[in-house]
Amino acid sequence: MNDLLVAARVDRLPNSRMHREWMFLFAIPLFFDSCDINTFASAAPALVRHWHIAINEIALITSASFIGMFFGATLGGLLSDRLGRKRSLMLFVLISSLGSLATALVPSVPYLFAARVITGFGISAGMVTVMTYIAELFPARSRGTWQSWAMVINLCAIPMTNFVARLLVPYGPDGWRWVFVWGALGIAFPLIAKRLPESPRWSVRAGRFSEAETALAAMETRSMAEGNVLSAPEVVVRAPEPREPWTTMFNPVYRRRTLALCAIWLLQTIGFYGFEAWVPTLLVHHGITIARSLTYFTLINVGAPLGALLAVYPADRFERKHLIALVALLIAAFGLLYGLSFTPVLIVTFGFAVGMLTQTFATLLYSYTPEQFPTGVRNSATGLTYGAGRIANVANAFVIAAVYTNYGYATVFMYIAGAWFLTALITVVFGPRTTGRSLETLNPGVGVEADAASLTPLAEYPRR
């Protein structure tokens, strides 16, 4: 049993009801994580009014989530590479759900800060694990498509949460608390997660060969029971490879990928959360009522699941790095137009375009990131790059507050557009090509003494 044999057996499986079931199961924690991520943006205007807190305190509380997300992504990634994908995912969903419930009960700003740190930890650890889990379980030819469908369901959480907030937040001084209860409903996920198999790729790297064989045999049996005929996998004679050390992501082979993805996630987080987390509050400070700002925000975010849906068709038909760069440029353009618009129709129209395309971008990046690292450090490296963006947004919350205070509403969106432009540039210049390629082809085992030249041509592979 080795990595290439596992890959051959996973990749030969036809798309089936089994994959569809897994996709729905992965969408559940993603859905409720997105519910919670978007709750504070909707609750913030009510806190400003009823708790009489300043916009800098909103920035402080917003930064709390990103502090938690940084530690969740980096430490959670390490934990998942040690415990396995399945057990760690159930643990992280439980942490985020309990954190969201705690947020609903807090009496003051310090407790609110602490609750958001805990929730952020569970959310980002869970999201990173799902990204890796999907990359390892689904066939190479369709993993981008399945990730996109999971994100379609996930992103339905954004307009649904905005709608729930629109109903509950204006309903008295404690209405905002019930929005966080809504975000905690994912606490039931561990009860149904037993239907997911452990990643056989992880099991092999952990030395659990019998568990990997059992999982693969069950997958093949179920696929054949659905009427599929399986081709014989190519048997590759090679000794099992040891788990890569954590430092692998910084060796000469992977260093460029790690640094490029850290920069992409950092800039994407500035662009995405700069928009999502601040639009309701900035609209209120711009003279629009809380109820109307939440109405605009709800209409803007109706496009979120459509954005993921846009990624379904091209995800495995065109090179992902090119799609990511193109979408980032479109977001920059529409974001600038949004910042220069002051009539309801234009605010909603350009905001809708930004909200939709940011989710197209996120869906593609969720597939693109874990593809670039070997199994032994895949979750750790994905977590590190994802976490880099989250910790950057701790400072970003204060930067946006300062830009708004000193330079005005439109300048905030110029700053956000600049982040998206740099994202596109870095992706085109430094990103490898990944679409349709086996994870083991993209990331051959690299031992401690491996030669960096073994992977040098990867970025130059012709697209299938």
Side-chain angles (χ1 to χ4, degrees), residues 189-205:
F189 172 74
L191 300 177
I192 58 175
K194 62 182 181 181
R195 298 183 64 86
L196 287 169
E198 179 55 84
S199 164
R201 284 178 158 108
W202 177 85
S203 296
V204 165
R205 279 305 171 96

Side-chain angles (χ1 to χ4, degrees), residues 32 60 62-63 130 161 210 277 336 407:
F32 286 104
L60 177 67
T62 300
S63 71
V130 169
T161 298
S210 62
L336 276 176
Y407 300 103

Side-chain angles (χ1 to χ4, degrees), residues 40 64 138 210 216 226 232 260 266 301 326 333 336 338 372 374 402 456 459:
F40 188 71
F138 290 84
S210 62
L216 288 166
E226 294 180 14
L266 185 154
N301 280 321
L326 174 62
L336 276 176
Y338 175 92
Q372 300 189 42
T456 300

Side-chain angles (χ1 to χ4, degrees), residues 24 88 126 425:
F24 279 113
S88 57
L425 182 63

Side-chain angles (χ1 to χ4, degrees), residues 186-320:
I187 198 169
F189 172 74
L191 300 177
I192 58 175
K194 62 182 181 181
R195 298 183 64 86
L196 287 169
E198 179 55 84
S199 164
R201 284 178 158 108
W202 177 85
S203 296
V204 165
R205 279 305 171 96
R208 301 181 178 186
F209 303 113
S210 62
E211 292 180 20
E213 177 58 41
T214 299
L216 288 166
M219 292 158 61
E220 292 163 344
T221 299
R222 182 169 176 185
S223 182
M224 289 187 289
E226 294 180 14
N228 296 310
V229 177
L230 305 183
S231 59
E234 181 181 350
V235 179
V236 180
V237 180
R238 192 177 74 182
E241 296 174 356
R243 189 199 303 269
E244 297 89 350
W246 185 84
T247 54
T248 297
M249 69 183 87
F250 297 108
N251 72 17
V253 174
Y254 291 102
R255 185 187 305 128
R256 172 170 152 166
R257 297 183 184 191
T258 302
L259 295 177
L261 282 169
C262 281
I264 290 168
W265 275 105
L266 185 154
L267 293 164
Q268 180 265 354
T269 302
I270 290 173
F272 176 73
Y273 287 102
F275 188 83
E276 286 288 323
W278 282 90
V279 163
T281 301
L282 291 176
L283 287 173
V284 169
H285 274 257
H286 207 59
I288 296 172
T289 65
I290 290 178
R292 184 165 292 181
S293 74
L294 291 176
T295 299
Y296 290 168
F297 196 48
T298 300
L299 292 173
I300 286 170
N301 280 321
V302 167
L306 297 179
L309 196 60
L310 276 179
V312 169
Y313 178 80
D316 288 309
R317 290 176 172 83
F318 300 94
E319 184 49 55
R320 269 190 273 283

